[in-house]
Amino acid sequence: MSVEALYVLGKTEPKYWEEAVEKFPSHPRSLEIARALLKDNPNQAKLMVSLAKYAFDTPGITSVLDKLVGLPAEQLKPEVWEAIALGYWGNRKYGQASTAYAKAPRTPHNVYRVARGLDLAEKKVKALRAYKEVVQNFPNANESANALIQIAKIGPAIEAVPYLDQVISQFPDRAGEAILLEAKILDSLKSSESASAARQSLLTKYGKTDAAAEYRWKLAQSKARGGNYKEALQIAKPIATQNPDSELARRASFWVGKWSNKLGRKQEAKAAFENVVAKYPQSYYAWRSAVMLGWDVGDFNSVRQRDPKVEWPAKRPSLPVGSAALQELYKMGQGKDAWKLWQAEFQNRVNPTVAEQFTDGLLRLSMGDHLQGIAKISSLEDRENPDEQAQYKALTQQIAYWQALYPTLYVEAIENWSQKHQLNPLLVISVIRQESRFEPKIRSTAGAVGLMQVMPETSKWVAENIGIKKYSLENPNDNVKLGTWYLDEIHDRYKNNSMLAIASYNAGSGNLSKWLQGKKVSDPDEFVEAIPFDETQGYVKNVFGNYWNYLRLYNPKISQQVAKYSEGQPTAFKN
């Protein structure tokens, strides 16, 4: 008998609900039943355990976990404590998570989470002791390297160096990070000579580490700020060759091009910009490089007026895993039904494969959970296992991956109101992706609402200006209507400079005025890098990075242009 049949029968005969939970514990109907039964009788350990194991990532789970941990210890097995810990951790209840991990199976991961949870809960003394237990009990595990570094960070500086030396000798893949931290600690101890020797060792022995890239980049920036572009170039160039997969590689490679231009080395600059497009086609710096190469992609002062031709995808991407029934429901657009079936099929939730996590993200998108859907797909790049990394890289060669990361939602309202306010629709959809991940009812802690995260007082002012009395910020059309009017207004305020308009949209005109005071924006790239609010600097880069990705994915001309240079452009765009 199916779970749906048991659900219907159970409305009159409770035994069928119990059978559903027993036979299909992970099915959404069974979880719904468990919650309903707990409302009538909250002291049912078996039902709470079922929710902890199969609904640890759902809203409101912490109230169930709080009741569960109050039960006698003998009623909860170690694997149940692990599920409880995971639920608390996902909800940032780090102190409770630490306590639960202490009762979970004693794996390096779980024991480290005990310590890390205490650390994040600001219980530093207990955290130090717990980190040392990780090193003592699992000396060769990767978690011990993490523990040793954390001990050096939160323990007394005078005692830190031996722990970092242990990382350097025992975990060579973490040596660069340890050396950079050691140099910083030696500086704080007034041992500048030893600190300098440590940094030199970082460059000579561990030059391919991310830590070496970080140090090189700081040195290069310092030289460039002093006008010494020649030395800045010499220092920054090795980042692209020795640290090609680091986050800094794309940034440094772009600035190699900019600094080469300042030195009159036009061919060298051109090669650097082409290298960024070729190796990092998805990045904000690929757009900046395309601008420097003279491509027709719009610059900070011309993006607003552009109306690029776009070809939105005709069908949704296919699911890489799942039953035939699941695939059919998904293709038919039955998002909620497909999601329910997936919940029954998806048993490997704690450690999903790359294909399973991508499927989970696609199904979340199909049922309207855009925030979590994009997050699940985006976090695939964090996989560290070499096999999983290879699977992830293969996935990025598929157009489906990128279309899922940059979905085309609410395009009718976006195109309509963008046209009315002479705004580039790809810039508007890029703001929406950054602000709300396409969640129409989302609210920020500051009170901003909806797709474009419009503040209620701003919406009131805009509504008065355009003469409307009735609107709802949770209504996508109303939100985009008000949001695009405001975006149009701040573009006018900053003479159609989209970089300044987007910075103002995030930080407010008051903060932007302070940053502009006494300055000329002669080089917009330098201005962006100098924005003092990390959040706003990241916001500007993310919005224009979104714009670039929408352009390279959905504008045929740019798609083909990028494909000529880049192996990272999806295969669908290659001739």
Side-chain angles (χ1 to χ4, degrees), residues 227 229-231 233 258-266:
Y229 301 116
K230 188 175 181 180
E231 280 196 44
L233 269 177
K258 290 277 289 189
W259 295 332
S260 294
N261 263 338
K262 288 180 181 291
L263 292 169
R265 303 176 183 178
K266 302 301 180 183

Side-chain angles (χ1 to χ4, degrees), residues 119-140:
D119 195 350
L120 293 170
E122 301 295 331
K123 298 177 181 179
K124 302 298 183 183
V125 175
K126 289 184 177 180
L128 268 174
R129 189 161 54 243
Y131 282 132
K132 290 176 182 179
E133 287 180 14
V134 177
V135 178
Q136 182 179 352
N137 292 308
F138 304 98
N140 299 316

